[in-house]
Amino acid sequence: MTYIAPSLLAADYAHLADEIKKVEDAGANYLHLDIMDGAFVPNISFGPELVASIRKTTQLIFDVHLMINDPIRYVDRFVRAGADMITFHVESTDDPEAVIRAIASHEMRVGIAISPKTPIEAILPYLPKLSQVTVMTVEPGFGGQELMMPMLDKVRLLRRYAMEHGLKLDIEVDGGVNPDNVGYCTGAGANVIVAGSAIFKSKKPRSVIFGMKESAKLNPFLG
């Protein structure tokens, strides 16, 4: 199954409750929450207080993406704020194992993200302990960028590795995904699709999400 995760980064912050309801009613599965600290990435977004406030407005799964240095410091706070899964960047910590343990101790799904310059070999030792890998298909930090097609080679290699080793692994693509290129992503093996502007900026988000899911059906992973 393909899951659609609109990125709140592209929403109208003056009307967050309405924006979230709009994508929930349109058929979204997750709400992707990019947490940026202005240090690990050159941008600042929002923190656990905002996550806690919007948690009251929706039943969507909160896919919290920590784009911050030393992420273990904030695991507990985002758990309390209402995260359903937490993903951190392997490049953001000297001890990924400790961060994995910290997230898993709350009995929630654990994810690792890799930036464009990071090879998949950097995360292979951790895959048996993960529920999800997020492959960044843009440089992390800002929305509205174009998808870097060579990053889909990573997705394909990860999907093959997971299948060969009997791992049940969601592979998420994040950055520049839209109805025109989502088929390339699912064909490479992705099954969780983050899309910001393509959904939140659309006048017909239901049509966009439906179109993405239909394109995914027409473009399954073939090996």
Side-chain angles (χ1 to χ4, degrees):
M1 181 175 177
T2 299
Y3 302 94
I4 306 297
S7 172
L8 196 69
L9 202 63
D12 178 355
Y13 282 25
H15 305 94
L16 280 183
D18 291 339
E19 291 278 88
I20 294 167
K21 186 178 189 306
K22 177 177 71 175
V23 298
E24 185 171 17
D25 290 346
N29 305 104
Y30 301 166
L31 188 65
H32 188 80
L33 304 173
D34 288 305
I35 311 301
M36 305 180 186
D37 64 358
F40 179 71
V41 293
N43 196 8
I44 295 173
S45 58
F46 47 83
E49 291 80 9
L50 185 140
V51 174
S53 68
I54 63 173
R55 177 74 280 178
K56 306 166 189 174
T57 71
T58 180
Q59 297 299 311
L60 286 172
I61 294 170
F62 277 13
D63 176 16
V64 173
H65 179 186
L66 299 182
M67 307 165 83
I68 63 176
N69 284 325
D70 198 13
I72 198 169
R73 296 174 299 155
Y74 287 93
V75 168
D76 290 349
R77 291 183 63 183
F78 281 102
V79 170
R80 292 196 300 270
D84 293 297
M85 65 178 83
I86 295 178
T87 296
F88 69 98
H89 274 258
V90 70
E91 308 93 353
S92 69
T93 176
D94 293 329
D95 193 353
E97 288 275 7
V99 185
I100 291 170
R101 288 195 301 270
I103 299 170
S105 71
H106 294 282
E107 299 183 352
M108 68 168 46
R109 295 171 63 193
V110 183
I112 279 184
I114 53 174
S115 297
K117 293 182 176 65
T118 302
I120 66 167
E121 287 77 13
I123 63 170
L124 294 183
Y126 311 116
L127 293 188
K129 301 175 182 178
L130 303 178
S131 298
Q132 179 170 288
V133 171
T134 298
V135 176
M136 294 301 300
T137 45
V138 298
E139 289 293 342
F142 294 92
Q145 301 179 61
E146 291 188 9
L147 183 144
M148 301 166 66
M149 293 296 289
M151 297 303 105
L152 298 185
D153 292 336
K154 291 183 183 179
V155 174
R156 189 171 290 105
L157 291 170
L158 280 168
R159 180 57 70 203
R160 289 173 179 166
Y161 184 95
M163 293 177 70
E164 290 168 1
H165 291 79
L167 301 176
K168 186 178 180 181
L169 186 71
D170 286 330
I171 301 178
E172 180 177 76
V173 286
D174 183 359
V177 185
N178 58 51
D180 295 328
N181 59 31
V182 67
Y184 295 109
C185 300
T186 58
N191 69 306
V192 183
I193 307 297
V194 177
S197 300
I199 296 175
F200 276 111
K201 304 302 185 187
S202 173
K203 294 181 180 179
K204 298 181 177 180
R206 182 183 297 275
S207 295
V208 173
I209 291 174
F210 177 81
M212 285 185 163
K213 290 184 177 181
E214 287 301 299
S215 183
K217 291 178 184 177
L218 295 171
N219 294 276
F221 177 67
L222 298 177

